[in-house]
Amino acid sequence: MSTEKKRKILIFDTTLRDGEQCPGASMRLREKIEIAKQLARLKVDVIEAGFPVASPDDFRSVRTVAEEIKGPVICDLSRCTTKDIERCAEAVAPAGKPRIHTFLATSKIHREFKLKKDKAEIVKMAVSGVTLARKLCADVEFSAEDASRTEPEFLAEVVRAVIDAGALTVNIPDTVGYGVPTQFGDLISYLLENTPNIGQVVLNVHCHNDLGLAVANSLEAVRRGAGGVECTINGLGERAGNCALEELVMALRTRHDVYNVETGIDARELFKTSRLVSRLTGMVVQRNKAIVGANSFAHEAGIHQDGILKERTTYEIMRPEDVGIEGSELVLGKHSGRHAVRERLGRMGFKLTDEELDRAYQRFVDLADKKKVIYDDDILAIARDEMDDASGVYEMDYLHVATGTATVPTATLRLRKSGKIIQDAACGDGPVDAALKSIDRITGMQGRLMEYAIQAVTVGQDAMGEVSIRVAFGDDTVNARAASTDIVKASAMAYLNCVNRVLVLRDPGRKKGR
Ligand code: KIV
Ligand code: ZN
């Protein structure tokens, strides 16, 4: 057996920053903190918590993550400007291990059309940004935006200059997902061979998935000598997303014969993290997604099942338990108490207030009356609904729908607001449309449905349906989800959550009953 020490690849998670740039995936403070805590349990090396200059809310979330999360380096992003860098330093200051991450575009296209600066000016701006950041924080990272489309000689010049200015990590992003493995790998090899001071820093890569190659490009970069990979849970991120953390980590681990490296990730937390991020962002994980999709360990073909029963490795290259998918998902039954529900949620990374737990437990009891077995996913769906802090402006009191092949679909709805009951009814081209229109009539809101998806939470005909929707109210677009064994009710609840959310967004002081 080889005793050779493996090279450690640092895992930099940017779910809370680049991941949040994914259309429809915006998160609120409490959700970001839940995710950051889970990322710490997953043992990522760095958490990129946000872009503080973007808004006071972004600043507050970075600051809260910096205050509350122990273990990983906490970093935040800034353009190469004094204002951005100072704001970053302020936000990240409370962290045990703070880092400022500053970036500047280096490619010809960005220099000429976006920045209108020549090469010398770019080098000067990058150096002064890193110099200022180093005065404010001991750990500084520099990213050369659009590095994969930058002339390699110029990129090496910038990298050399920012290292001299004090950067400790240099990141090579494939910002537009243009790279392909051989070429992107060649760029990494070129930088390692042609930047004299490169040995003083960790060389990161940050690949986008526009051509579906983010993981492949990152793996090739690691093989060529990159020391860190920037990635997101479930591959969330701008446009087609970023390198998926779970895929990268399991590829490095499963094919250690090729890569011969290790990460500090606790892979048994991967599935739980993926589920948490999916629930809190409203971004559904496709069933056939590698590593964490519902089908990733399901063997359908008889010949495969037969092989698995005889010898698991015939068709399985990883074990479900390696990524934290436990053998049996069945958790609780009709007679389980409030404490058991709280305990189970805690193990899945959810911490509810007493009031939320009371409501979640009541729904659990109601569900246990309707469904024979209750799975983790059922409990998660309920917890997610109850944690929705906008859910209380309007509350649903009663919904009745009439529909059928020879009936005009009609919904009668009663909502409660400030203890007052308001009732109305509407017709629609189907029961969901009728229910949503009756919400519009009562609340006076006019939502435009941008996306609507429904997914069974678990297997079985008695499964809850979880509705995820995205609704535009004028210039504000929000998303929400809700689950119920009655899919019309789930649709109406999800839509009502969107109404509540936009009301709170427009008037943050607005609380339940006001
Ligand atoms: O894709 C990109 O270039 C980025 C940088 C800001 C790191 O996200
Ligand atoms: Zn990016």
Side-chain angles (χ1 to χ4, degrees), residues 329 371 373 375-378 455-460 462-464:
E329 279 186 301
K371 273 186 100 222
V373 288
Y375 296 95
D376 276 2
D377 279 337
D378 290 318
Q455 226 192 351
V457 171
T458 59
V459 291
D462 59 356
M464 286 203 286

Side-chain angles (χ1 to χ4, degrees), residues 148 174-180 207-213 217 239:
S148 56
D174 182 20
T175 303
V176 290
Y178 182 69
V180 293
C207 298
H208 279 270
N209 206 30
D210 300 66
L211 293 174
L213 293 170
N217 287 337
R239 307 179 309 277

Side-chain angles (χ1 to χ4, degrees), residues 249-318:
V249 165
M250 291 313 287
L252 291 178
R253 194 173 139 151
T254 309
R255 297 309 309 270
H256 58 87
D257 56 325
V258 174
Y259 297 102
N260 196 28
V261 295
E262 62 187 8
T263 70
I265 295 295
D266 180 353
R268 286 161 309 174
E269 295 289 329
L270 283 173
F271 185 66
K272 192 197 289 181
T273 316
S274 161
R275 286 304 173 100
L276 185 72
V277 169
S278 166
R279 300 241 167 248
L280 296 186
T281 56
M283 301 293 293
V284 176
V285 174
Q286 76 198 58
R287 292 191 79 83
N288 60 336
K289 160 96 176 55
I291 315 295
V292 289
N295 289 358
S296 49
F297 292 95
H299 298 275
E300 184 71 19
I303 198 164
H304 286 205
Q305 288 173 356
D306 180 55
I308 291 272
L309 290 175
K310 288 180 176 140
E311 167 52 47
R312 203 172 179 157
T313 54
T314 49
Y315 286 102
E316 228 169 54
I317 58 167
M318 298 166 282

Side-chain angles (χ1 to χ4, degrees), residues 400-411 427-431:
H400 171 83
V401 284
T403 191
T405 48
T407 317
V408 176
T410 313
C427 304
D429 63 9

Side-chain angles (χ1 to χ4, degrees), residues 14 17-18 21 48 171 173-175 206-208 230 237-239 241-242:
T14 182
R17 199 277 298 167
D18 214 322
Q21 287 171 223
E48 184 160 58
N171 179 33
D174 182 20
T175 303
H206 172 118
C207 298
H208 279 270
E230 306 201 349
E238 276 276 351
R239 307 179 309 277
N242 287 61

Side-chain angles (χ1 to χ4, degrees), residues 26 65 79 106 115 123 131 135 141 165-166 245-246 260 271 278 285-286 297 324 352 360 404 425 463 469 476 495 498:
S26 69
V65 171
R79 288 165 300 190
T106 51
L115 300 169
V123 176
T131 309
K135 285 195 187 127
E141 168 170 344
L245 183 149
E246 60 282 357
N260 196 28
F271 185 66
S278 166
V285 174
Q286 76 198 58
F297 292 95
L352 270 62
I469 58 175
D476 299 314
Y495 186 79
C498 283

